[in-house]
Amino acid sequence: MRETTVPTHWYSISADLPFKIPRHHRRNHPHGTSEPVDIRPQLPLSLYRHGAGDDRFIEIPTDVRQAYEQWRPTPLMRAFGLEKALDAPARIYYKNEGTSPTGSHKLNTALAQASSYRDAGITHLTTGTGAGQWGTALAMACQRFGLQCTVFMTACSYHQKPYRKTLIELYGGRVVSSPSGLTEIGRRIQSQEPDSDGGMSIANAEAIELARTSEATRFAVGSGENHVLTHQTVVGEEAVLQMKSTADFPDVVVAAVGAGSNFAGIAFPFYRQARIAARQVRLIAVESASCPKLTRGRYAWDFSDLSYVTPLVKMYTLGHDFKVPAIYSGGLRYHGTSALISAMYEHGLIEAVAYSEEEVFEAARLFTRTEGIVMAPESAHAVCAVVGEAQRAKDEGREPCILFNLSGHGLLDLGAYEAFLGDRLEKRTVSDQEIMKSLARLPAQEDATEPSEERDLETDSHRS
Ligand SMILES: *Cc1c(COP(=O)(O)O)cnc(C)c1O
């Protein structure tokens, strides 16, 4: 199923949604010491447009498409081995994003962003990374387009995944364990909590602080923002074409959800295709039971990081300082999820389920033994849901077509697999009390009203 070529366009779902997505809202945290700063207007206009939702289709720039052609289209495979093992009448397909040079879907947006920033005259990108997949992808993309790259890696992953650090350095990037002594926020957290595992919101806050020290430096974000979700739709656009060549169409599309980009990437184009064909397609976002923002969080205005200088986002969240257990699926350790995915969930357009690490690694082992591919623990969340769907369908006498996104390979996650095989996975549960405590620290919601159309600061700042 490789005969298709790389799509020429990304898809922006906002054009097809029956409601407006609440815009990011500028307001500073009452405890914040920094001056009001909004990093979003610093987005190059091109990236802003990729996420603005004015156009349904956005042409992929030539240099980005050429870069994609190195490994895209990624294979769409039928999981015959898994189907047989489950003895369920489901037809299971998966899109393998683990075949990218850096090993995951993250490279799709990293290349698009590096190209846009370079065109805007930026010479240095900073970022935060959880599992290290995003940092690796950005380092490679920066190398390709001639930019410097600094990656703040959560201390948790920095120690769990030393080879990610090596890879980033091999690609020419600089890696710093977060919280670090390089930034004010890093030093503050180090002094409050010397053994901090770090977290995505801390790593991003550090990257933002560093980016603010120089004109030609910008903070790049690996997931969650609208433009990132748009870039990832190259995955689903390909899958739409590839599914056509099988003459099959998914009844269910499944993907893991961190901040939401790999889910959006595979699911959004099928949302459109289902509408065109007047069919039903269920879109299932799978989260970690240790970071259950959709299934147990609240739809509220919250900070996307701990810098207190970025705008509030209306999203499903566990609270910006929720301490996510140090699970092996570092890419899912984010307290919230994107505004787009959150709004779709609130409107009932997508479903969500959560699985524990033990269940997830079981599913990953089954997949390795039936399909031969070792996947990232993040991706295995999707397999867990696929297995559940297939078994339920069998019980109910249905024969669904299920498609999932295998977001990355797990060849640098063998430490995690070793812990699983050695029965050393820690049981981690999140109590209602912890969630309630964290949600009690959400910013005051009554202040977070949406700016009206005329006073749309975001757009204004781009016009000036
Ligand atoms: C980052 C990552 C995820 C989570 O991705 P989001 O796009 O933020 O939802 C899933 N799988 C892999 C392999 C990742 O690297």
Side-chain angles (χ1 to χ4, degrees), residues 28-34 308:
N28 267 18
H29 193 278
H31 316 308
T33 48
S34 319
Y308 302 136

Side-chain angles (χ1 to χ4, degrees), residues 104-106 133 223 256-262 331-332 376 378-379 407-408:
S104 81
H105 68 290
K106 298 283 197 318
Q133 294 271 19
S223 187
V257 62
S261 76
N262 99 91
L332 307 187
E378 290 88 347
S379 317
S407 49

